[in-house]
Amino acid sequence: MSKIAFIGLGNMGGPMAKNLVSAGYQVTGFDLIETAINDAKEGGIKISKNAASAAVDAEILISMLPASQHVESLYLEEKLLESIDPSTLIIDCSTIAPETARKVSKEADALGLSMIDAPVSGGVSGAVAGTLSFIVGGKLEYLDRAKPLLQKMGKNIFHAGDNGSGQVAKICNNMLLAIHMCGTAESLALGVKNGLKPQVLSEIMKKSSGGNWSLEVYNPYPGVMEGVPASREYQGGFLNKLMFKDLGLAQEASKDSQTKTPMGDLARKLYEEMIEKGFEDLDFSSIQKLYL
Ligand code: NAD
C-alpha cells in the first residue's frame, strides 16, 4: 500500500486526506491545530510529530496550506525540502502566489526533487465528495505520476503549463467568480427593491443572457435555493477572507504583468468591506448583504 504524506488537514486538506484513506492509501499527516488533528485521526489518518517525519518513506507528499507565507515557511524556512527523499513527488495544492510556487519548485528542482503546483476548485463540498478540479502547473511527467492519486480526490484534472501556471489559472478563475458573484448579488438586489421576487428574477436571468454559475448553482439571495450557504445564513462554504486573499493574488499578478483589472480591483474592495464589517468567516456569497 502506497504511503502518502499530507501536510495541512484543515477544511480542505482534512476531507481530501480522508478520501485517500477511503481509496486504500496509508496516509500520514501533520497539522498545527488540535481540532484538525483530532478530526483527521477519526478519519483514519496517522498523525506525525512534524512535517519532516510525515514525509519519511512517502511516495507522494501533498500540502494544503492557507497562503504563500505558510508554503514558503514550511518548505524553505523550516527546510522541509532538504529532508525529502528524491523519490517522493511533491504536490502543493494550496492557492498561493505564482511567484512563490515558482520559487519553491525551483529550489526543489535544485535539490533533485519533483514538484508540481495543483491548486483546486470546488470548495469544501467538492473536497468532501471527491469531485474537486485540480489545476496543475509543472512537468507533464510529474502530473502523470500524480494523476491516479488526484483522481481519488477530484473529477477534473487540467494541465495549465509550467510551475506557477496552475496558480495563475486558479487566480484568474477566482477573480471571475468574485466578479460574477458581486454582479449577481447586485442585480438580484436591484430587482427585489423594484418589486420582483428573487426566485422569479433568478429563473428569468438563469435562462437569459445574464445566466452564470453563481445564479445556477450558488444563488446568493436567501431563500431562493436549498443547500447553498445563502440558505444557512452563509455558514460554511468558501470564506470571504479566502476570496479576499485570492483577489489580492490577482491584484499582485496584474501589477507584475501590467494588466488592467478594474473589475477585479473593485470586487476586492467589496470583499475588503465585508471583512471590515466582521464577516470574514462567512461564505463569499454573503456579499449579498452589502446590497440588502
Ligand atoms: P484551513 O485554514 O481550513 O486549513 C489550512 C490548514 O493548514 C490549517 O489547519 C493550518 O493549521 C494548517 N497549517 C498551516 N501551516 C502549517 C504548517 N506549517 N504545518 C502544518 N499545517 C499547517 O484552510 P482551507 O480552507 O483548508 O484552505 C487551504 C487552501 O485551499 C487555501 O490556500 C485556500 O485558498 C484553498 N482553497 C480553499 C477552498 C475552500 O472552499 N475552503 C476552496 C479552494 C481552495
Side-chain angles (χ1 to χ4, degrees), residues 71-141:
V71 172
E72 194 161 343
S73 158
L74 176 75
Y75 285 109
L76 303 184
E77 288 153 31
E78 292 173 34
K79 300 189 190 304
L80 178 63
L81 281 186
E82 292 180 22
S83 67
I84 295 175
D85 190 87
S87 65
T88 305
L89 173 67
I90 307 165
I91 309 176
D92 180 41
C93 292
S94 328
T95 301
I96 61 169
E99 209 37 60
T100 307
R102 286 185 202 111
K103 182 176 171 184
V104 177
S105 64
K106 198 171 163 201
E107 196 65 35
D109 199 40
L111 291 163
L113 303 172
S114 319
M115 182 167 192
I116 54 176
D117 42 288
V120 304
S121 177
V124 176
S125 55
V128 172
T131 56
L132 293 170
S133 291
F134 288 90
I135 310 166
V136 176
K139 287 187 187 156
L140 260 179
E141 60 186 280

Side-chain angles (χ1 to χ4, degrees), residues 191-257:
V192 170
K193 288 195 179 174
N194 282 279
L196 268 75
K197 288 200 168 70
Q199 291 85 348
V200 172
L201 179 57
S202 295
E203 279 311 304
I204 294 169
M205 294 197 296
K206 252 167 43 179
K207 300 278 183 297
S208 306
S209 45
N212 68 73
W213 185 91
S214 294
L215 264 177
E216 277 154 24
V217 298
Y218 216 91
N219 197 300
Y221 207 95
V224 173
M225 197 176 264
E226 278 179 21
V228 293
S231 66
R232 46 173 196 267
E233 293 176 348
Y234 302 110
Q235 297 299 318
F238 181 48
L239 307 187
N240 283 320
K241 63 184 176 193
L242 289 177
M243 179 53 94
F244 180 64
K245 177 199 80 167
D246 290 357
L247 290 167
L249 294 174
Q251 215 172 31
E252 271 174 44
S254 82
K255 276 192 194 128
D256 292 348
S257 59

Side-chain angles (χ1 to χ4, degrees), residues 264-283:
D265 297 351
L266 181 55
R268 185 168 185 265
K269 282 204 185 87
L270 295 175
Y271 278 97
E272 188 170 28
E273 208 176 316
M274 291 296 282
I275 286 166
E276 283 164 4
K277 286 179 186 291
F279 297 143
E280 66 268 27
D281 289 324
L282 294 186
D283 177 73

Side-chain angles (χ1 to χ4, degrees), residues 7 10-12 31-33 64-66 95 120 123 238 242 245:
I7 316 300
N11 289 326
M12 295 293 287
D31 197 288
L32 303 172
I33 296 176
M64 190 50 158
L65 305 178
T95 301
V120 304
F238 181 48
L242 289 177
K245 177 199 80 167

Side-chain angles (χ1 to χ4, degrees), residues 53-69:
S53 46
V56 173
D57 295 333
E59 191 187 324
I60 295 184
L61 178 142
I62 302 175
S63 50
M64 190 50 158
L65 305 178
S68 300
Q69 67 268 29

